[in-house]
């Protein structure tokens, strides 16, 4: 595409030359990753005609012999998702910044394997007789899935010329560069090293009373699911310690969670609410990118789990806007009669093709209900939470952990996806300067 028939004719008589050069490189991961700059060695082979004449427009090829690191052990990169661009410096008889660009063409790149970057090409119109040297300079690696991110790399030492064109006198004049623009636009770096570092704001709920809350003293009287014909039951806010498995490692976090219920016949419509959004989005997050769900643990007279889930984000989350986890909803059909407890269980966040799973290290009862057995109820299911501890009646639980530490692991979900863009270099150990 970059070499037209006229260009090929212009350089057809001149033999091509290919030379390799290597140089120390500093690469800046996407800002969303929160990772520091890293260093590695780039090896490049430049191919250009050995001879040409003034007025010729020559095609130059940049081949990556070696990228500065492997794809780290984070995420697999899909086929045809990686696109390199860069700048080749012309010096000597004429100076120019030659814009280089490669196609988005790569094999699937598994975790912890060599990066495979396509060859870049560019064009230079020769305007002066003499020797023109070609030297690799800065380059950018864009990954467009699940969203567009960029890793920017630049030399950290003087780079030696990789090729020299001997230009003889001839007619014609023109600009120092031809073909591609000398400035390659940079796409946005999109999603986080942090989805919620804590759960979202929800509408505040009234402080529960002893007859409404979980724990030994909580719950509604009788097996009919509430005394006095009540239909709405407000659980207490509990601090849930989570052990999270994320695509980039294990994390521990504590989150305030509240479970509320509304009686509907013999069943209950549940709402799980995360309290407080304590983080603004560090980058734009596309709509329909994040979906949370939870398995509420049923205990006491009944046993099992209830699946609740929330919608995906209905609109784009702009950089700087609060990140919120929506209310999770589902229906609890009791499988036993008596006093049954509801506790936050395993929380799952699916975002941009990645999954983070957070398991409570102990159970905290948020709500106790009087239940009547229903056909096809939950009894007989298994709890997925860790060890148990009885809740206290009434009031709010002591917060304990700093809210800004809450559910930091969830923030890694979107950030992990964004590391696709930084996957080329972000996990290479820093070299001593």
């Amino acid at each position: 595409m970059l070499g037209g028939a006229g260009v090929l004719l212009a350089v057809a008589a001149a033999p091509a030359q290919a030379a390799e050069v290597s140089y120390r490189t500093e690469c800046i991961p996407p800002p969303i990753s929160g990772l520091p700059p890293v260093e590695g060695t780039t090896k490049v082979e430049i191919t250009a005609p050995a001879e040409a004449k003034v007025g010729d427009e020559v095609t130059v090829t940049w081949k990556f012999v070696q990228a500065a690191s492997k794809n780290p052990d984070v995420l697999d990169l899909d086929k045809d998702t990686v696109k390199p661009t860069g700048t080749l410096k012309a010096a000597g008889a004429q100076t120019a910044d030659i814009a280089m660009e490669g196609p988005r063409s790569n094999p699937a790149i598994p975790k912890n394997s060599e990066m495979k970057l396509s060859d870049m090409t560019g064009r230079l119109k020769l305007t002066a007789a003499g020797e023109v040297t070609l030297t690799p300079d800065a380059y950018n690696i864009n990954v467009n899935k699940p969203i567009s991110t960029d890793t920017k790399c630049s030399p950290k030492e003087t780079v030696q010329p990789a090729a020299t064109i001997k230009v003889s006198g001839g007619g014609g004049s023109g600009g120092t560069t031809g073909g591609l623009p000398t400035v390659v636009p940079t796409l946005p770096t999109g999603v986080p090293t942090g989805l919620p570092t804590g759960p979202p704001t929800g509408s505040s709920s009234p402080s529960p009373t002893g007859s409404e809350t979980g724990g030994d003293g909580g719950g509604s009287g009788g097996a009919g699911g509430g005394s006095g014909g009540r239909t709405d039951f407000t659980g207490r806010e509990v601090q849930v310690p989570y052990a999270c498995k994320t695509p980039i490692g294990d994390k521990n976090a504590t989150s305030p969670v509240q479970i509320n219920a509304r009686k509907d016949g013999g069943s209950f419509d549940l709402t799980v609410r995360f309290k407080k959004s304590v983080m603004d989005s560090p980058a734009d997050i596309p709509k329909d990118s994040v979906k949370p769900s939870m398995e509420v643990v049923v205990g006491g007279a009944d046993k099992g789990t209830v699946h609740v889930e929330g919608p995906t984000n209905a609109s784009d989350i702009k950089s700087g806007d609060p990140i919120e986890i929506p209310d999770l909803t589902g229906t609890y059909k009791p499988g036993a009669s008596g006093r049954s407890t509801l506790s936050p269980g395993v929380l799952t966040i699916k975002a941009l093709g990645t999954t983070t799973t957070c398991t409570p290290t102990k159970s905290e009862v948020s709500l106790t209900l009087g239940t009547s057995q229903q056909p096809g109820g939950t009894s007989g299911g298994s709890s997925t939470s860790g060890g148990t501890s009885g809740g206290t009646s009434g009031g709010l639980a002591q917060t304990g952990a700093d809210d800004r530490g809450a559910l930091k692991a969830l923030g890694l979900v979107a950030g992990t996806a964004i590391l696709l863009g930084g996957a080329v270099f972000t996990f290479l150990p820093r070299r001593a300067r």
Side-chain angles (χ1 to χ4, degrees), residues 241-304:
Y242 278 112
C244 298
K245 298 286 186 181
T246 84
I248 58 174
D250 296 347
K251 299 290 176 181
N252 294 323
T254 298
S255 176
V257 184
Q258 183 181 49
I259 301 175
N260 300 324
R262 170 169 289 183
K263 185 171 172 57
D264 183 8
S267 299
F268 295 86
D269 295 328
L270 303 185
T271 298
V272 178
R273 178 165 294 156
F274 287 86
K275 314 292 284 187
K276 298 181 182 178
S277 174
V278 297
M279 179 183 175
D280 293 339
S281 176
D284 292 344
I285 303 175
K287 65 179 296 187
D288 297 326
S289 298
V290 183
K291 184 173 181 63
S293 63
M294 177 187 283
E295 304 305 313
V296 175
V297 178
V298 181
D302 203 356
K303 295 292 185 293

Side-chain angles (χ1 to χ4, degrees), residues 51-56 90-96 124-133 165-177:
E51 299 176 356
K53 65 180 185 296
V54 172
D56 287 346
Q94 73 180 84
T95 59
L124 172 66
K125 187 168 185 178
L126 302 172
T127 61
E131 292 190 346
V132 177
T133 60
I165 304 174
K166 293 182 179 180
V167 184
S168 59
S173 63
T176 58
T177 59

